[in-house]
Amino acid sequence: MKLGSSFVVPAGPSRVFAHFLDPRSMRASIPGCAELERVDGAHYRGRLENEIAHVRFSAGFACEITELREPEQVRAVLKGEDHKLGSSIKIDALLAVHPDDTADGSSRVDYSMDVALWGKIGRMGESIVRRRSQEVERQFVTLFSEICASGPPGPDNPALVGTTPAPAGTAMPAGHRTSWWRRLLQRLFGGKR
Amino acid sequence: MTIEDRAGAGVAVGERWARVGGRARVRGELRYAADQPVPPCLDVAVHRSTRPHATIESVDTGAALAREGVVAVVTGADLHALLGERLMTGPAFSDQPCLAVDKVRYVGEPIAAVVAHGIDAARAAADEITVDYTDLLAVHNVDAAIDGVAFVHDELRPSAVFGDLKHLRGKRGTNVNYEFNLLRGEPDTEGVTTVRNEFWSPPTHHVPIELPYTAAWVDGDRIELMSTTQTPSYVRQSIADMLELPLNRVRVRSAPLGGSFGAKMYDRLEPLAAALAWTLRGAVRVVATREEAFLLTTRHGVAVTSSMSADENGSIVSATADVRYETGAYADVGPRITAKSGMVATGPYRTDNIRVRSRCIYTNKPSAGPFRGFGVPQVTWSHESLVDELARERGEDPAAFRRRNLLREGELSATGTPMHSADFLGCLDAVTAAVDWDSPLRRSEGRLLRGRGVAVGVKAVLTPTVSNAVLQLNQDGSATLLISTVDMGQGSDTIMAQIAAEVLCLGEGQVRVVAADTDVTPYDTITAGSRSTYHTGNAVRLAAERMRDRLVDLAATRFGVSATDLKLTGDGLVSAQTQETVSIAELVLGHFGARGTTLTAEANFTTSWVPYDHDTGQSPKVTEHWFAGAAAVQLTVDTATGRVHIEHLAVAGDVGRAINPTLVEQQLSGAAIMGIGHALFDQLVFDEGQIVNGTLLDYQLPSIKDMPDRLTPIIVESPHRTGPFGAKGVGETTIIPLAPAIANAVRDATGVRITTLPLTAERVLTALTEASQA
Amino acid sequence: MTRDIELIVNGVRRRIAVGDDELLLDVLRREFGTTSVREGCGVGACGACTVLVGGRSVSSCLARAIRQDGAVITTADGLPADDDVVERFVEAGAMQCGYCIPGFVLMSHELLAENPAPSQADIDAHLEGNICRCGTYQEIRAAIAATAEHRAVSA
Amino acid sequence: MTAPAYHYPDTLDEACAVLADGEDTMVYGGGTAIQILIKQGVLFATDLVDVGRVPGLADITETPGGLRVGPLVTLRRMETDPLVRSVVPLAAQVYGQVANPRVRNTASVGGNVAHGDYRLDPPTALLVLDARLELTGTGGSRTVPAREFFVDFQRTALEHGELITAIDLPRQPESAGAWFAKLSSLSVNDWPCASAAALVVDASRQRREVRLGLGALAHIPLFARFEVAATASADEVVEQAQEATAPLIDPIPDIRGGAEFKRRLGLVAVEEAVRGSWKEHDDDRGSRWSWRRRR
């Protein structure tokens, strides 16, 4: 399954690029990324949690940066396995940032992902998985833009203050779990709703 | 000897006898394998790979073993330690372990088996197994496989079954496990009109509604299996090899199958069940769920790059085909399919200049194996689309063009083997007449466009093979037939009974066929490839003839006349000289002086071939006989939705002689309906090696609503000189030309040529849009 | 957890213990030996596990046994020896491998009970969820039409 | 994976209490969808609350405004019950199109909508008929219009601890024209690739309201309505209907087709539904059984 798009963030390319490599920024941007830490220069590890329809997916993963073209492009391969669900995931992701021509001080982020899901979760229905992926994409764009806009990586970035890992998605019957939209709004605006 | 001379005196052949066990089938009282009594069994669940291609670093079975009800957890490494390389099975290549040993080669490959009390306990424990992998680059399609981006197997491992594959042993650095080449004349010759294209048939699944099942248990020093298999004789040999047992210590039984279509043959669940039962010295039962059944075997996805050229007279002067069979992670019988289909990849046409290259290619997907048609429908998709386009390029009627170029009796096929009992013209004429081919057509009606299409198909029967029959005539005049042919809905129990009854002048219901049991029924190569009527049928005929001769001898002694004076009739044996008659019952009673006695006769029927030349594929006898069929269709295409609706489908097969016309018509119709699915919507969809539509909620099968408005099966009979009463098989004949007949009709209706199957509404609508924009 | 329920299967009333999550399919095969009820897909899409519960067709592979307390269940192997639908199926040769046919027989009973003179479209609409992989659909249609005709004549 | 606890309460209060108590509770109605997820080994629920014994949930009653349908009423009963056929013929028609008769015998009206599947047929009818759903929890009941019930992908207005206790279906006006178009893209009996229900009702003496409910064409069932002159031609109404629905259509690509194909098919479904309902309003005024004849 291929996903990809581009979006504009209100921050310069160098700051955006710094966020790409910062585990704290990425953890806060990737929906369902419950843990993320850097092991060494090119390796990260963490945990992805997600709910697709009635199914909960929780996968420990390892991520390797396979290509780094500072300060514009990073390619990473993420591999994770949910033993309980008998499923694994592989994401080959390319993130690139370029100065945006339309507005000063902003950048355009291009991303493309090749997502493979294997095992029980991979056969539960392509449309369901695709739809969930679309949601994850949209959330990522919103969250990452917000974080880039709020400042450089690090504990002082207001968008990163108080971020706690939370599983993405919703369960059925719906509603008993705070919707991702609400959680997103809470995260962005400090629980104003 | 003419066919008439050898015809029996009876009134069985050609009769529409009721299918054996018909009422029991309707009421659900027929016992399939899973309904057969077996010793109390432990249940087996497997833990499956979540990677398409990876090295297995370690398997943690601790948590699974600790669960209640679990008796054992067995890994591929455990079995390899016990059985060594004998763990590797497969009909063409010994490349497949029943549990992955050092690496996994497709998503869903079994890695470890849990043996437990109850299937729920087994499944729950299988979920607890964890595997540590190191990923390898995966090969997801034939092009990547040919490029060799990664190798699915380190080296090729041909099995002992086919001697001609020996030279491939140990070959490294390739995903191509077999290549068949055919060369005739100067294939680069071009006429005045040439067409070429790329064709794709996707992988599909057989989906017999009965799920695969194997029970295996140890009885003293023997192992016994009850299994859903079309190939009990093969399985016995395979298990004997794996466990290093003499054949008489392996017993394999089958039962009537709830459909198969090629899904239940060679090594499926049997090696795992047998290995577990043998190593645990117990009884186990392995049942595949529907989702697991999708992983056991598939039909090959096939890419064909092909061309065809005609001269100014409209004769086909050359044809070429480059065929790539995607065989998945394990070769199974792929190399045989590659060769057998390669032989006919350019069609049943009189062509002097031919080149075919047909390759069998490993990828990281579930293994592909035999499927009704044995790879031929996929190449027919190419040649019947091409020949249609060639006719249209010439501005000629596609049926007339085929008619002129089709091979006649005695002419040489592409392989150099002459045609016999393959009445392509008869089939073509029958189907075109059925759909009123030449009548005017209302081509446009609202959103609908209407068109007609036709296609023919050719296939060679599996050769060489071996069949045996043992016929036991009971003193009361009833007969018991011992053969290893498996009735899976094709009706072999009925057909074989009719053949024996014809010779012995017995009536309906008087010959009973015993279900395959390797302790009892004699060797038979396989029940597959439409071979049983001809091959096993001939063994049955010969056994019955021997029995008849025996009866004649007994009667001659009884009446004191010469054997030539006697004739077997429905009333018994009649002496022309003395006008005396004795019934079979009296005769046998008189001979043995006891009731309930039996006379036994047996026969073997073995076919032979001349192996094809390695470089040219030529052979004076590459096959025992040919199958010929045709399909014609009238359909509409909805230009708003892209949906194809079939108004009339006519299919014909040259069956030599229909032993039972009702059963033959059902095979012709049934194969056609399956073919409709392949033409319009039936396919396995993969994403990075993962099947994404592997349940019947998503996988598409023809339902009653997909039936054509009219379906006409037509029997064509051009008797085979050595067939039993002239008969040949029929199971695959009409699936072969089905998809191209439909695509040719879509072409006729819309002007658009689609070369990728299936012709889904989306594919048709997209093609229509592109054509209108172009 | 196990509970006791009562089932009346093909006229035989029995009290049996079933687990909470046990399927009617498994209970029928185990407790009542109804070989005509078979798993084909496990998701209600093929019809091989069809039974009639109170005259209505049900996919026994999706039905929890515990919910059927007191149910009157008919399976194809429990139909009367002279069942007319069975007769017409046999006469029409409406069977090949036969694995799916019991499901079609029960669906036909349900259809004809509701609609004594079904058109071909009615037949198709009622049977669309039953798969015969051998492709015996023409014969099945003929068998149902013949049953309807016979019933009309003898009524 | 541990099997969820199975509860079999005898009263509605008891059911609500169990639903509210558990961490991941699900109502077990007809059970078809839940059993499939269990079979695939992907259902995560701590508790299943089977409401089969709760009295009163399987009734259909005529009300002054139309029908009140209990959540455990089967889809098959909606298709065949004479009351449903006479009061809301469109609903009867649409319920009769779901899956196959066997599934319809088991699947329930409540579970069908609670599942929130974007492809299901019945929501298209519920939307155009302006159905209302009664949702009940430990704190009491509330009513949510069907048009607000489908919140997001497989997510509905149901809150934790709530279950559907009734669906109120307003009477379909005698003069209304109704039509349901269902298009599959693979085998004929496959899931819909695009579906549309249309209801044409009199808005005033000179104007009519066209209501459209769409299935399988976005992550949730879609609803649109507009008014047209009673004298408009069918072509004009089709054009307006397609203009009204095109911006809403946002299909999920899958094995049944890409987004572009589904969009096109969706507009065909809209056209068929609009033509059918417009014509029925003109021709077949008051003929409640007309859809039967068309089958």
Side-chain angles (χ1 to χ4, degrees), chain D residues 6 13 60 101 110 134 144 159 187 195 234 240 294:
Chain D
Y6 192 69
D13 285 350
I60 299 178
E134 182 188 83
V144 176
E159 294 287 339
S187 63
S195 68
Q240 270 208 51
R294 291 199 300 267

Side-chain angles (χ1 to χ4, degrees), chain B residues 453-496:
Chain B
V454 68
V456 300
V458 58
K459 179 180 179 282
V461 77
L462 184 60
T463 310
T465 66
V466 180
S467 283
N468 290 284
V470 175
L471 183 69
Q472 187 175 295
L473 187 67
N474 304 303
Q475 177 266 317
D476 63 357
S478 68
T480 308
L481 182 57
L482 280 62
I483 50 174
S484 288
T485 296
V486 178
D487 196 318
M488 45 200 186
Q490 86 283 37
S492 55
D493 283 1
T494 313
I495 300 293
M496 298 306 161

Side-chain angles (χ1 to χ4, degrees), chain B residues 273-586:
Chain B
L276 293 175
W278 194 249
T279 54
L280 300 172
R281 311 296 300 171
V284 301
R285 167 173 49 214
V286 189
V287 189
T289 65
R290 178 55 64 193
E291 296 184 8
E292 291 175 316
F294 275 105
L295 299 167
L296 280 174
T297 181
T298 65
R299 180 171 100 158
H300 289 81
V302 181
V304 187
T305 306
S306 51
S307 71
M308 211 178 262
S309 190
D311 65 17
E312 58 277 11
N313 302 320
S315 296
I316 298 172
V317 292
S318 65
T320 69
D322 180 57
V323 190
R324 285 93 74 201
Y325 281 85
E326 181 172 9
T327 206
Y330 298 102
D332 199 88
V333 79
R336 293 288 102 175
I337 289 174
T338 303
K340 289 210 69 77
S341 303
M343 292 173 191
V344 293
T346 56
Y349 300 104
R350 198 184 303 111
T351 317
D352 292 334
N353 306 297
I354 298 176
R355 178 175 53 235
V356 175
R357 174 159 77 152
S358 181
R359 285 173 285 179
C360 188
I361 299 158
Y362 283 128
T363 59
N364 291 113
K365 284 185 188 162
S367 172
F371 188 122
R372 196 177 209 168
F374 212 64
V376 176
Q378 295 100 310
V379 292
T380 308
W381 172 235
S382 156
H383 69 68
E384 284 310 284
S385 298
L386 274 186
V387 79
D388 209 71
E389 212 48 49
L390 191 55
R392 288 172 185 282
E393 284 275 322
R394 286 178 37 81
E396 193 177 352
D397 175 76
F401 181 79
R402 283 182 176 82
R403 204 171 195 292
R404 189 172 53 250
N405 284 284
L406 280 167
L407 291 169
R408 267 69 168 173
E409 176 79 18
E411 289 185 330
L412 296 187
S413 76
T415 59
T417 301
M419 305 310 292
H420 166 60
S421 176
D423 189 0
F424 295 105
L425 294 187
C427 292
L428 179 72
D429 292 348
V431 294
T432 50
V435 301
D436 285 331
W437 183 260
D438 294 320
S439 71
L441 193 60
R442 187 171 173 196
R443 292 208 156 258
S444 174
E445 197 176 334
R447 297 192 331 206
L448 306 180
L449 294 175
R450 187 171 279 110
R452 293 192 186 120
V454 68
V456 300
V458 58
K459 179 180 179 282
V461 77
L462 184 60
T463 310
T465 66
V466 180
S467 283
N468 290 284
V470 175
L471 183 69
Q472 187 175 295
L473 187 67
N474 304 303
Q475 177 266 317
D476 63 357
S478 68
T480 308
L481 182 57
L482 280 62
I483 50 174
S484 288
T485 296
V486 178
D487 196 318
M488 45 200 186
Q490 86 283 37
S492 55
D493 283 1
T494 313
I495 300 293
M496 298 306 161
Q498 282 183 257
I499 290 172
E502 176 75 20
V503 177
L504 295 171
C505 296
L506 298 176
E508 189 170 355
Q510 283 189 279
V511 182
R512 180 169 190 84
V513 177
V514 172
D517 175 348
T518 57
D519 266 12
V520 178
T521 57
Y523 179 90
D524 189 276
T525 302
I526 50 173
T527 304
S530 313
R531 66 173 286 281
S532 298
T533 295
Y534 180 92
H535 298 79
T536 313
N538 260 327
V540 169
R541 175 184 62 82
L542 289 168
E545 285 170 2
R546 278 175 199 167
M547 182 63 73
R548 183 189 59 199
D549 295 347
R550 183 95 194 272
L551 292 172
V552 164
D553 287 345
L554 291 179
T557 308
R558 182 180 175 119
F559 296 145
V561 298
S562 89
T564 52
D565 180 52
L566 284 155
K567 200 172 166 70
L568 179 60
T569 72
D571 297 326
L573 291 113
V574 182
S575 163
Q577 189 185 325
T578 67
Q579 292 296 304
E580 280 180 292
T581 299
V582 60
S583 69
I584 290 175
E586 276 176 78

Side-chain angles (χ1 to χ4, degrees), chain B residues 18-19 21-32 34-35 120 205-211 256-259 261 289-291 371-372 487-490 662-663 665-667 669-671 673-674 678 682 695-697 699-705 707-713, chain C residues 21-22 29 33-46 48 75-83 85-87 89-90 92-105 120-121 123-141:
Chain B
R19 182 183 294 273
R23 182 174 301 271
R25 288 172 203 267
V26 172
R27 292 180 57 87
E29 292 168 340
L30 194 73
R31 300 281 165 146
Y32 300 89
D35 306 322
D120 293 341
H205 199 268
H206 320 59
V207 198
I209 303 299
E210 180 198 30
L211 290 162
L257 298 185
F261 318 110
T289 65
R290 178 55 64 193
E291 296 184 8
F371 188 122
R372 196 177 209 168
D487 196 318
M488 45 200 186
Q490 86 283 37
T662 299
L663 268 51
E665 283 161 2
Q666 284 192 317
Q667 285 293 297
S669 298
I673 292 166
M674 192 174 271
H678 290 152
D682 181 345
T695 76
L696 290 203
L697 294 173
Y699 196 82
Q700 307 287 312
L701 300 171
S703 79
I704 198 164
K705 282 197 168 173
M707 287 288 289
D709 295 342
R710 227 176 121 196
L711 173 56
T712 309
Chain C
D21 52 4
E22 271 197 277
R29 285 185 68 95
T34 55
T35 53
S36 66
V37 189
R38 300 156 179 153
E39 176 158 337
C41 69
V43 292
C46 78
T75 66
D77 53 308
L79 290 169
D82 61 349
D83 183 77
V85 173
V86 169
E87 286 307 316
F89 266 66
V90 171
M95 85 301 281
Q96 291 184 58
C97 81
Y99 202 78
C100 66
I101 297 298
F104 278 95
V105 168
Q120 184 174 305
I123 293 171
D124 290 1
H126 205 80
L127 302 185
E128 68 169 317
N130 288 62
I131 298 296
C132 173
R133 194 58 168 141
C134 298
T136 319
Y137 297 127
Q138 299 203 109
E139 295 86 337
I140 291 168
R141 280 176 181 162

